[in-house]
Amino acid sequence: MDITTPDIPLCRVADIPDGGVLGLDPATPHGEALVLARDGDRVRAWLNICPHTGRRMDYAPNLFLFKSGLLTCAVHGASFALAENGLCVQGPCRGDSLSSVPLRVEGGAVYRA
Ligand code: FES
């Protein structure tokens, strides 16, 4: 499954912990790794790419430092406020934002828009 295909669900809403994040890797080498965040029925996504140096933000595949709404990059510690659409609020790329990925939710499943 290639997660860049809009007709194939990325995951179920229930796969994402409420108030937490879920990382997804692409099935192909040319796909994009994503970070999905859930707040109740609301699901948002960003590329798993730190705007500081372009590296992945997880400390192990799809394991993230996430607490109190802040996603912290495991490389140099930049913190991103997911409630502020991924704005970096602390660290070396303060003021930059994560790249958001449009989604749609249908029937409890999450798709790329
Ligand atoms: S690569 Fe993320 S803070 Fe430097």
Side-chain angles (χ1 to χ4, degrees), residues 50 52-53 73 75-78 92:
C50 182
H52 180 219
T53 66
C73 177
V75 182
H76 304 114

Side-chain angles (χ1 to χ4, degrees), residues 53-92:
T53 66
R55 293 170 64 178
R56 290 174 65 111
M57 297 182 292
D58 39 2
Y59 63 90
N62 297 318
L63 294 175
F64 294 91
L65 301 167
F66 182 72
K67 185 175 181 183
S68 301
L70 291 178
L71 179 67
T72 300
C73 177
V75 182
H76 304 114
S79 293
F80 300 90
L82 299 189
E84 297 179 43
N85 206 22
L87 177 68
C88 180
V89 294
Q90 181 176 346

Side-chain angles (χ1 to χ4, degrees), residues 16-17 19-23 35-38 64 66 71 82:
I16 310 166
V21 296
L22 175 73
V35 183
L36 283 73
R38 176 181 169 203
F64 294 91
F66 182 72
L71 179 67
L82 299 189

Side-chain angles (χ1 to χ4, degrees), residues 11-18 22 38 40-43 104-110:
C11 65
R12 312 258 335 143
V13 172
D15 295 333
I16 310 166
D18 196 3
L22 175 73
R38 176 181 169 203
D41 293 333
R42 184 176 189 204
V43 179
R104 62 187 163 88
V105 175
E106 291 178 11
V110 181

